[in-house]
Amino acid sequence: MAIFTGARSFATFDSEELRLLLGALDPEYHIPGVDKIVDSILPRCYVRVKDEAYQRIAKCPFLNVSIDESTDIRNRRVLNISVSDSTRSYFIGLRDLAGEATTAENLAEWVISELRDLACGDFSRINSITTDTCSTMHSLWRILASRQETKDVFFLGSDSHGLQLLIKDIISLPSVSKVFKSAQAIVAHFNNAPMQLAILRYFQLREYKEERALLGSIITRWGTQYLMLQSIKDNEIALTKYVREHECRDEIKVVLRSMDFWDTVSQILYILKPIHEAIKASESVASHAGYVLQRWFDAMRHLEACSMSKEFGDDLTHYMASKFHDRMRRQVQDLHWAAYYLNPLRTTDTMPGTLQALLQFSQFRNSTGEFFEAKSWSFKERPQHFWEVQKSMAGASSELAGLALRLFHTTTTSTASERAFSAQNRQLTLSRNRMTTAHTDMATFIYLNARSLRETPEIDDNNVGLVQEDNLMSSWGQMPRILEDQEQLENEAACRQVSLAAQAYLPAKA
């Protein structure tokens, strides 16, 4: 078992020294070879962990599924599926796509098959399915929504992925892109020149008493753009000393000696930091649908404040007027609006009148009827607890409570699937690349789920601590400009989506 949970080589026991050690500890112990580990021990451990994991999953009333596609070290196209219950996540399985076309129809059949096994045929326990927002996945949503088994499932785009695309948009702006490419050139210069990197490390040790990494940026890896710029900023003193006291390429020298470059790096970091922190917060398994809309509102307010920047203001102003709302509309769905207004802390926020026609919702918003001086208000800081208490009162509001509980137990990230690919790459490496997909699947299942089964979840449904807000003034001397009217954040058509979402899941009462 330790071989699989530690992602160790199946040939671990082939070491003569280890065999001598095990023989000295227990001369009667028969040391297994690679064939026995692969053909016998691995399947047995897999079945054992799977039984325990599925027993835990069977107790979860709200199952949130995430699906993602990638390639492994051998360039095989692989699809994985994971599930979370808003406290911890579990890896379910890999599928080698081989030469199969990745059509929505093919994916739908596989997903239905996996979910049937996962939920023991009870599809009512499947709360949501989260994917990226490509056209194939949108088609998959439509097909699954038309199937009897999954017609009541929520379908969402990964919020982490959407926020990462927002960062991609920002670094693609002409004024930002120029600085970002210069930063990439600096990292590439040292990564491709070991001697220059060694010299830089000398300056790091002299200035910081430690070596500091220069991180690369990979557009598909969430947060690496911000971390690359931050790593360069963290090395500012060493880099400037390096370029003053040592010869290097002219283009690198010009950039590192420019005060404008360092100033603009600081400004870009200021622009990206809240979005980067929102991505980190969205990756938590406790991050539910009720947080999504607020993150996008916060991003919009922040970027509008940053549009007053002299350096990047024109590009940001144009982006906010032309593309930001398209990006937000693609990411924010009806159910996000419904979850936003079902938060007990937001009952005083302005909202469109169309929803007021729903009696239960109106009573909740106005604290009347069953909500008048209800015990549930003692838990308004924790939406999940609030609606659990309200549902336990078993009155007419139980239908609204059922919808709210689903929304506040809906995770909005595909982080579990992303983590599964990272775990897969620990099993299948350049030095161990002959594993079949089936063996990789079993080893990854054990590696991830053994950890989930041991961990004690520490979930704060308030999201406190996931993001530490930075209430500092803008680096350009301007306080963020907060929109005073909630209806400015979206037009009436978008707000009406809340009504459509509620009407789809909640019958109106006369």
Side-chain angles (χ1 to χ4, degrees):
M1 190 74 166
I3 289 178
F4 313 127
T5 58
R8 295 177 177 89
S9 170
F10 294 168
T12 295
F13 295 124
D14 285 356
S15 164
E16 183 63 28
E17 291 76 13
L18 186 57
R19 285 179 171 274
L20 290 173
L21 172 62
L22 293 175
L25 292 172
D26 185 357
E28 301 299 320
Y29 178 67
H30 179 69
I31 301 172
V34 173
D35 290 343
K36 184 172 182 180
I37 290 174
V38 172
D39 298 333
S40 176
I41 298 177
L42 175 60
R44 289 206 311 269
C45 289
Y46 170 75
V47 169
R48 181 175 130 200
V49 174
K50 183 176 181 179
D51 287 346
E52 189 174 351
Y54 274 54
Q55 285 175 16
R56 292 275 189 92
I57 293 171
K59 299 176 182 177
C60 303
F62 301 99
L63 296 178
N64 301 294
V65 177
S66 64
I67 302 167
D68 202 7
E69 180 189 353
S70 186
T71 55
D72 64 18
I73 199 72
R74 294 176 60 184
N75 250 3
R76 293 181 298 201
R77 297 162 55 241
V78 177
L79 196 71
N80 84 42
I81 184 168
S82 299
V83 65
S84 68
D85 61 358
S86 76
T87 60
R88 54 164 63 86
S89 59
Y90 301 92
F91 172 71
I92 301 303
L94 293 173
R95 180 184 180 183
D96 186 354
L97 296 172
E100 181 181 336
T102 315
T103 64
E105 291 77 10
N106 290 340
L107 294 180
E109 292 304 320
W110 179 68
V111 170
I112 291 289
S113 174
E114 291 290 329
L115 295 185
R116 182 176 288 109
D117 184 33
L118 178 67
C120 300
D122 182 7
F123 282 88
S124 66
R125 295 175 54 227
I126 307 299
N127 187 45
S128 69
I129 295 177
T130 302
T131 68
D132 61 31
T133 53
C134 69
S135 57
T136 300
M137 291 304 173
H138 276 283
S139 298
L140 173 64
W141 297 355
R142 288 192 291 271
I143 292 173
L144 292 177
S146 68
R147 294 284 295 264
Q148 182 64 30
E149 304 97 319
T150 49
K151 63 183 179 62
D152 295 324
V153 173
F154 294 146
F155 300 99
L156 308 94
S158 169
D159 195 38
S160 307
H161 178 71
L163 291 167
Q164 177 61 31
L165 292 176
L166 179 57
I167 284 185
K168 180 182 177 182
D169 289 346
I170 293 171
I171 63 176
S172 298
L173 299 176
S175 55
V176 179
S177 176
K178 180 181 177 182
V179 180
F180 190 80
K181 288 178 180 178
S182 294
Q184 286 182 308
I186 292 170
V187 174
H189 169 73
F190 289 102
N191 283 345
N192 297 329
M195 180 176 289
Q196 301 304 316
L197 181 58
I199 295 170
L200 175 62
R201 285 172 176 164
Y202 162 78
F203 286 103
Q204 290 175 336
L205 291 170
R206 194 176 78 179
E207 299 299 328
Y208 312 127
K209 311 303 180 189
E210 65 177 3
E211 293 182 358
R212 295 184 179 181
L214 286 176
L215 304 177
S217 167
I218 304 173
I219 196 59
T220 56
R221 293 291 181 90
W222 301 338
T224 56
Q225 294 73 33
Y226 176 86
L227 293 175
M228 182 194 74
L229 292 171
Q230 187 63 62
S231 72
I232 290 175
K233 186 65 178 176
D234 290 343
N235 281 283
E236 180 177 359
I237 297 174
L239 287 167
T240 52
K241 292 288 181 67
Y242 162 86
V243 80
R244 287 175 190 165
E245 302 178 27
H246 184 76
E247 287 298 319
C248 66
R249 284 167 29 199
D250 289 343
E251 58 269 32
I252 301 298
K253 185 186 302 182
V254 169
V255 171
L256 291 177
R257 285 182 173 177
S258 169
M259 289 304 299
D260 288 342
F261 170 75
W262 294 109
D263 289 343
T264 51
V265 166
S266 297
Q267 293 181 28
I268 295 173
L269 284 169
Y270 175 82
I271 293 171
L272 297 183
K273 183 178 181 181
I275 305 172
H276 174 72
E277 291 181 335
I279 291 175
K280 291 196 295 182
S282 71
E283 292 173 353
S284 168
V285 72
S287 180
H288 54 64
Y291 295 121
V292 172
L293 199 56
Q294 188 61 55
R295 288 195 194 105
W296 284 87
F297 285 165
D298 291 344
M300 180 167 60
R301 292 166 179 153
H302 173 69
L303 292 176
E304 286 198 337
C306 292
S307 66
M308 292 182 268
S309 159
K310 180 180 178 181
E311 189 73 30
F312 307 112
D314 290 344
D315 283 343
L316 280 173
T317 299
H318 177 71
Y319 174 73
M320 295 303 292
S322 61
K323 295 183 180 179
F324 176 84
H325 288 280
D326 289 338
R327 176 68 69 197
M328 179 174 172
R329 273 190 287 269
R330 186 171 181 83
Q331 194 65 36
V332 176
Q333 301 165 224
D334 299 346
L335 61 88
H336 296 125
W337 286 90
Y340 180 84
Y341 287 114
L342 283 167
N343 190 326
L345 293 175
R346 298 199 175 98
T347 54
T348 58
D349 287 8
T350 304
M351 61 170 293
T354 49
L355 274 180
Q356 302 293 344
L358 299 171
L359 179 59
Q360 293 177 27
F361 194 87
S362 178
Q363 290 177 346
F364 160 68
R365 296 282 297 179
N366 297 306
S367 301
T368 59
E370 290 188 9
F371 293 91
F372 179 69
E373 296 185 351
K375 293 179 181 179
S376 54
W377 290 107
S378 300
F379 302 93
K380 67 179 181 179
E381 299 285 339
R382 293 177 173 270
Q384 292 176 355
H385 294 179
F386 175 94
W387 288 107
E388 284 169 358
V389 172
Q390 191 65 32
K391 187 174 184 180
S392 70
M393 298 168 70
S397 64
S398 61
E399 291 177 344
L400 181 64
L403 169 63
L405 280 172
R406 283 194 62 190
L407 290 171
F408 289 116
H409 280 88
T410 298
T411 55
T412 56
T413 181
S414 58
T415 303
S417 288
E418 299 290 342
R419 189 181 296 119
F421 283 128
S422 296
Q424 169 193 303
N425 290 335
R426 286 177 174 268
Q427 306 291 340
L428 194 65
T429 66
L430 288 172
S431 59
R432 186 175 60 171
N433 59 17
R434 291 188 296 169
M435 286 178 65
T436 65
T437 302
H439 290 148
T440 305
D441 181 23
M442 288 189 282
T444 303
F445 188 97
I446 296 169
Y447 178 85
L448 285 171
N449 293 332
R451 283 166 167 73
S452 291
L453 293 169
R454 309 196 276 267
E455 290 175 358
T456 300
E458 296 180 3
I459 299 303
D460 183 349
D461 115 357
N462 255 340
N463 228 11
V464 175
L466 294 178
V467 178
Q468 294 181 349
E469 301 246 352
D470 212 356
N471 292 323
L472 300 177
M473 290 185 66
S474 159
S475 57
W476 307 295
Q478 299 286 342
M479 289 296 289
R481 177 163 54 90
I482 304 299
L483 298 178
E484 297 178 355
D485 188 348
Q486 185 72 35
E487 290 187 359
Q488 285 180 268
L489 299 175
E490 267 294 345
N491 56 35
E492 276 291 329
C495 288
R496 282 196 295 272
Q497 292 175 345
V498 193
S499 178
L500 295 174
Q503 291 170 12
Y505 299 104
L506 175 66
K509 297 288 186 181

